[in-house]
Each structure stands twice: as structure tokens, then as C-alpha cells.
Amino acid sequence: MGYKMNVMFASLKGKRIYSILNNKCPVCHEGEFYEVRNPYDLKNFSKNYERCSVCNHKFEMETGFFYGAMYVSYALSVAFSVSIFVAIGVLFPQSPYYVYLIAILTGIVVLMPVTYRLSRLVWMNFFYHYEPQKTAAK
Ligand SMILES: [Zn+2]
């Protein structure tokens, strides 16, 4: 599965979505951002490298830089909630309101590691874009 995913993502290299979905440095799209690839490795999922191992880009460009990722995280949670709401509405239209409530809350909690990781990658990609020449100039 890992191999297939890499092939699938290869065509996206150079686009921001590649860095976001594939845990890559926003500048060179080569080095990893998070130390582990599994968001459900709950002990380590939030650990990110300080600098890119390939282009030496400093991920947290200034102290508190990643606080802004909270806005992204909020937006993602809203998007997930709406998706869950719509999915239940379509699949189980007779559900009482508390089913929606429990499903959405459960969904947000279960997806928290994913939300956390995506939000930082998205946030970084607001400020940086792909510069492949930086890979060479190490
Ligand atoms: Zn890099």
C-alpha cells in the first residue's frame, strides 16, 4: 500500500497538496516533516523535525509560527463535521439528532491526530512554495 500511495502521489510533486498529503517539506518536497508517518502512533504523531533533512529549511520559521495552524485545524474540523453530517443524512436519514451529535463528536476526536498533522502542513504551505533548486543548494 505504501508503494502504491507513493506512485499515486508522485504525479502531484511540486503541488502544495503533495507536501500536505505526503508529509513533505513545503520547500523541497523531499524531506519529511513529521518524524513518524502514522498519525495513530499516539506517542509520536505530533513530533516534527526542526529542519528539513534535505534542504535545511527551518519549519518553525519563528516562535509561535504554528499557533496559526489552529485556524486551519478549526476549518478542517468544521469540514469533517459537515461531511459526517451529510453522510449520516444520506445513509441513515431517519436518525434522531443525538446520533448526529455522537457521530460528529466521535469523528472529531478520532480524526484529531490527522487534523493536527494536516493543519500544520497546510499552514506551512500558505507561506512557502515548491523551490526544487533549493534541494541542490544544501
Ligand atoms: Zn526541504
Side-chain angles (χ1 to χ4, degrees):
M1 186 177 161
Y3 172 72
K4 252 192 181 160
M5 289 235 299
N6 285 338
V7 171
M8 195 175 88
F9 285 135
S11 60
L12 294 171
K13 194 163 181 196
K15 300 203 167 68
R16 285 183 162 86
I17 195 78
Y18 177 84
S19 155
I20 292 165
L21 295 181
N22 214 16
N23 182 32
K24 296 295 185 191
C25 163
V27 176
C28 69
H29 288 194
E30 295 281 345
E32 304 266 295
F33 174 59
Y34 290 107
E35 294 178 18
V36 296
R37 295 199 57 107
N38 180 2
Y40 291 98
D41 179 346
L42 294 182
K43 235 176 155 180
N44 301 308
F45 81 94
S46 67
K47 291 181 185 160
N48 60 267
Y49 294 112
E50 200 186 318
R51 285 177 181 275
C52 173
S53 64
V54 176
C55 73
N56 204 33
H57 170 66
K58 189 168 187 261
F59 293 126
E60 187 169 14
M61 61 182 194
E62 58 189 38
T63 310
F65 173 66
F66 284 122
Y67 285 128
M70 281 192 304
Y71 299 108
V72 180
S73 157
Y74 175 72
L76 285 173
S77 295
V78 170
F80 288 144
S81 304
V82 170
S83 308
I84 294 168
F85 181 86
V86 170
I88 294 173
V90 169
L91 297 172
F92 312 103
Q94 312 295 338
S95 302
Y97 75 92
Y98 63 84
V99 170
Y100 287 88
L101 203 67
I102 291 169
I104 288 172
L105 290 177
T106 309
I108 288 177
V109 170
V110 168
L111 289 169
M112 224 165 62
V114 175
T115 310
Y116 177 92
R117 285 166 65 100
L118 285 178
S119 66
R120 288 188 165 206
L121 284 160
V122 169
W123 186 247
M124 281 192 301
N125 272 283
F126 281 146
F127 296 90
Y128 295 97
H129 62 273
Y130 185 45
E131 291 178 82
Q133 65 278 13
K134 290 217 170 152
T135 314
K138 194 172 179 176

